Amino acid sequence: MRAARLSRLWLVGLATLTLAACGGDDDEEQAAGKASGEVSVVITWTGSELDAFKAVMDGFERKNPDVSVKLRQIPFEELNSQVTQQFVTGSPPDLTVALPGLIRQLGDQDLLLPLDDLWEDWTADGAYTESLREIASVDGTPYAAWFKGNVNALIWYQPPELERLGLGVPGTWDEFISTLDEIKAKGEQPFAVGGGDLWPLTQWLDPILARVAGPDAFSGLVDGTVDWDDPRVVRSFELFGQLIADYFPSNALDRGFIDEICAWVDDKAAFVNQGAFVNLVAPGECDADLRPGRDFTFFLMPRVDESRPEVQFISGDLFAVAKDGGNVGGAKALARYLGSAEGQEIWAKRGGFIAPNANVSLDVYPDANDRKAAELWPKSDDVPAVYDLDDAIGGEVQNTLREALQQFVRDQDVEGLVSTMKQVDDRQSE
């Protein structure tokens, strides 16, 4: 089982971590529900997203005038390694943005503060589904607060561009493929792809895997109950390889994420496959005059097989509190705020954000794109929801998968991709 393998994150120097940093008066202050002092927070956002998060922090500090927040920005690709190193050296941040793979690793080592009381309040209030709680948990114990949600498998387009090409919005997989073929026949590029940043390629594999292999196989890859050579997984790789061969641009590995979005904005491609955050990034980083809903919008990537049930493919950012951080009380107060409707509404009003808290009204979203994306966020457990695969797995498997997908873009070698992933699994089990 990979769940057991991933728990073996042997961190050198863990013996140096003690409870001294949060003892004595800090414990009493936390128990009394008060918060004060400086809270160190690790984040990964830059540009317009960083500006939005700073606005959220301003809201928290207004509500908690005795607390000051100190932000440290870490590149997304370096988050796991740098945060792990901080725990190794006995100087973890009080609060860190963390994806499920990192939460599992740190939670398995008893390095995170359980947030059961926060989750009892949230679930009683109907703010979150049980499946969202499970994503934030390790072996049933919640260690993280949801903050920024994201719905993936959104195919973004510009209505004027589709009109110029004489094309409509496809509603089925066959129509989707037919539309891509028509775009190629007109001498245009179907997609802009930012594979140079590694993670954008997972935005392609995950929805295909979730729909072709199914949610059970998808989740099985995370917990190790399904192997990479499972026929369902192989079929997913084969379909992805065909899409790459037929519709990816030749420079798919030369562009990064921002370049990908801006190339699409500049009409160098008809579509871009990305999450709901494009609604903020496109006008924030590429063209400030873009009007969401009028100049650009999206449709959900169609199901490959209409007879299969829909799967909600999500990702997003959570925050975990260090058990032995320097300001546990302040960090927990901030975690509560980040998971609240009040805290999430601040960014939601700015755009390019989905509030995971179900109590955030659709009315707070500034445009049709954000409202449409927010409606796709899971608010009940009736439809299976799966979290971004590589971020859910984390560790060496995550890094290997991202690099292997770059190679897959080059060669579409399904056997090679399967072999690479099985090898890293074998190393994890040793």
Side-chain angles (χ1 to χ4, degrees):
M1 300 282 185
R2 187 176 298 111
R5 301 173 206 159
L6 290 177
S7 69
R8 298 170 185 166
L9 182 64
W10 302 113
L11 303 180
V12 179
L14 290 182
T16 63
L17 298 177
T18 69
L19 294 176
C22 58
D25 294 339
D26 288 343
D27 285 340
E28 295 175 5
E29 186 174 87
Q30 181 184 349
K34 300 177 181 178
S36 63
E38 183 178 274
V39 177
S40 60
V41 181
V42 164
I43 58 171
T44 58
W45 296 298
T46 60
S48 53
E49 292 187 302
L50 176 58
D51 292 338
F53 186 71
K54 286 180 177 178
V56 178
M57 294 300 93
D58 289 343
F60 171 75
E61 290 181 338
R62 285 194 298 270
K63 187 172 183 178
N64 299 269
D66 294 331
V67 182
S68 62
V69 177
K70 181 180 180 180
L71 299 180
R72 182 189 173 198
Q73 194 276 337
I74 291 178
F76 178 78
E77 293 78 8
E78 300 175 17
L79 175 67
N80 289 2
S81 60
Q82 288 203 30
V83 168
T84 298
Q85 182 63 26
Q86 290 182 42
F87 276 92
V88 167
T89 59
S91 57
D94 297 314
L95 193 72
T96 182
V97 66
L99 305 182
L102 181 59
I103 293 168
R104 183 187 303 110
Q105 292 172 341
L106 298 177
D108 279 342
Q109 296 296 325
D110 194 28
L111 299 175
L112 300 178
L113 185 74
L115 302 179
D116 301 84
D117 54 337
L118 302 190
W119 276 94
E120 287 175 7
D121 293 342
W122 289 332
T123 53
D125 196 31
Y128 296 95
T129 66
E130 185 58 35
S131 63
L132 293 175
R133 176 181 175 133
E134 290 175 2
I135 291 171
S137 301
V138 179
D139 296 331
T141 299
Y143 284 110
W146 277 94
F147 170 63
K148 184 177 186 289
N150 180 51
V151 173
N152 295 316
L154 305 183
I155 307 299
W156 292 86
Y157 68 97
Q158 299 177 71
E161 179 67 4
L162 278 196
E163 183 178 351
R164 180 184 71 82
L165 294 172
L167 300 173
V169 176
T172 67
W173 184 261
D174 287 344
E175 291 175 356
F176 184 45
I177 296 301
S178 177
T179 298
L180 298 178
D181 288 337
E182 288 188 56
I183 292 171
K184 284 183 61 178
K186 295 175 183 292
E188 305 280 347
Q189 179 60 55
F191 290 104
V193 179
D197 281 342
L198 291 173
W199 67 265
L201 297 177
T202 68
Q203 297 286 305
W204 282 93
L205 173 63
D206 290 358
I208 295 169
L209 187 61
R211 289 188 169 105
V212 175
D216 291 340
F218 190 103
S219 299
L221 287 174
V222 177
D223 64 26
T225 58
V226 171
D227 291 328
W228 293 95
D229 59 357
D230 184 288
R232 296 169 294 179
V233 177
V234 172
R235 285 196 297 272
S236 302
F237 288 157
E238 290 171 344
L239 177 58
F240 183 29
Q242 193 62 53
L243 289 174
I244 292 171
D246 291 345
Y247 308 116
F248 268 35
S250 59
N251 63 353
L253 299 181
D254 297 331
R255 286 178 174 148
F257 166 64
I258 297 298
D259 291 335
E260 163 191 0
I261 302 303
C262 292
W264 162 70
V265 167
D266 292 340
D267 296 331
K268 295 178 181 177
F271 298 126
V272 68
N273 171 32
Q274 278 292 352
F277 43 77
V278 167
N279 204 45
L280 178 62
V281 174
E285 305 294 338
C286 306
D287 184 350
D289 293 330
L290 283 176
R291 292 280 299 277
R294 184 196 70 180
D295 299 326
F296 70 107
T297 187
F298 66 85
F299 58 89
L300 189 65
M301 182 186 290
R303 283 178 283 176
V304 178
D305 183 348
E306 289 293 319
S307 68
R308 301 287 298 274
E310 184 58 275
V311 179
Q312 290 173 312
F313 172 44
I314 65 171
S315 60
D317 298 294
L318 300 87
F319 278 89
V321 178
K323 181 178 179 180
D324 299 330
N327 189 350
V328 175
K332 188 173 181 181
L334 181 50
R336 181 184 290 275
Y337 184 78
L338 291 172
S340 71
E342 178 184 359
Q344 294 174 16
E345 282 177 357
I346 294 175
W347 193 334
K349 290 177 181 178
R350 298 171 71 100
F353 179 95
I354 294 178
N357 190 310
N359 294 326
V360 174
S361 171
L362 291 177
D363 294 337
V364 308
Y365 294 97
D367 57 66
N369 283 351
D370 280 333
R371 285 190 291 274
K372 185 165 65 169
E375 287 179 326
L376 295 172
W377 182 258
K379 295 178 176 61
S380 78
D381 290 309
D382 294 338
V383 177
V386 295
Y387 190 95
D388 190 280
L389 180 68
D390 68 305
D391 289 330
I393 294 175
E396 184 181 1
V397 176
Q398 177 183 38
N399 295 332
T400 301
L401 177 59
R402 289 179 174 182
E403 293 173 358
L405 287 179
Q406 277 197 327
Q407 183 60 36
F408 193 60
V409 169
R410 298 184 184 100
D411 58 26
Q412 295 91 66
D413 181 0
V414 173
E415 290 185 4
L417 178 57
V418 169
S419 175
T420 297
M421 297 313 301
K422 284 183 64 65
Q423 287 176 20
V424 72
D425 257 2
D426 290 342
R427 291 198 301 272
Q428 290 283 99
S429 63
E430 292 177 356

